[in-house]
Amino acid sequence: MELRRGSELGMAALTHAWNLGYTGYFLPIHFTEEEFSHWVKAGSFDLSRSLILMDGDQPAGFSFLGVRGTRGWVGGFGITPDYRGMGLARQLFSDHVRLMADEGLQSVQLEVLVENWAQKVYAGAGFQVTRRLSILQGRLPSPAEQVELRTAEPEQMLLYSGLLHGEHPPIWQREPQSMRVSMPESTQALCTGPDLAPTGYLLYQAGEDRVRILDGAGGEAEMRQLVQGLAHRCPGLPVSVVNEPEGSPLHRVLTSLGCSEPRAQWEMRWSR
């Protein structure tokens, strides 16, 4: 077995390793090379600080790391089916955490499904649960009264992300650096407050048969207005949001409207 840096391999080989590592996972995760390249860019992956475990020419496992300043994010971790049950996950992750520390990272975060045994691997390497992240699904109501809201440019709203998320900071994939890469072209935005000082915003993608909330920031009163405004535009449609921090204003509003949680993840963090 040999540990190699991700930067030593081409994108096709990295995509192949990723798809093998997620074979048999709780949720289907399979990337084309183009999709994986997009994931790498959106997650700010540093391939020179990502590790691939190789058995000759065969990938046995991987641990991909995104880096922003002195913060890191484990954006993918897996062991190939033929190599599972051999203790390689603990060894690979421990080796990667030592690399993170040696190269000056002050904190590293990740998300793991609550039913995934890998959380024990992460905990054994010093990661601790910081909060629960909900996948919420439900249906938008048919509101009784019209709510006047402004539409906005999604990219403009991201300038206020840090301020408006307050004590419920966005997960790594919803930080502006990620959103500017990952937001679909069809993303729309609603906001409350004046033009140059919005008090809340909602980024969403609306199709004919469903609505995906991509991000929401602001207080609970603003979130309630924004969701009600969204309901006026898309009454009765199924709505979903992924990895919404439990207890956030958006989480409280959606659960009060009857949205349920089919799945959840733990956010975990290691810090010096």
Side-chain angles (χ1 to χ4, degrees), residues 253-268:
V253 169
L254 290 178
T255 54
S256 74
L257 293 174
C259 287
S260 61
E261 181 192 79
R263 285 193 180 273
Q265 297 204 99
W266 297 121
E267 183 181 73
M268 302 182 73

Side-chain angles (χ1 to χ4, degrees), residues 190-257:
L190 295 173
C191 68
T192 57
D195 288 346
L196 298 180
T199 57
Y201 69 77
L202 198 65
L203 304 182
Y204 67 97
Q205 185 184 30
E208 293 183 0
D209 58 352
R210 67 188 181 108
V211 178
R212 291 174 56 221
I213 294 177
L214 304 177
D215 190 31
E220 187 165 351
E222 287 77 14
M223 283 297 102
R224 196 164 296 279
Q225 279 187 283
L226 289 161
V227 171
Q228 189 175 0
L230 181 62
H232 270 287
R233 288 162 173 77
C234 311
L237 284 186
V239 63
S240 64
V241 63
V242 175
N243 287 342
E244 184 61 28
E246 187 176 58
S248 74
L250 179 58
H251 186 281
R252 292 196 296 270
V253 169
L254 290 178
T255 54
S256 74
L257 293 174

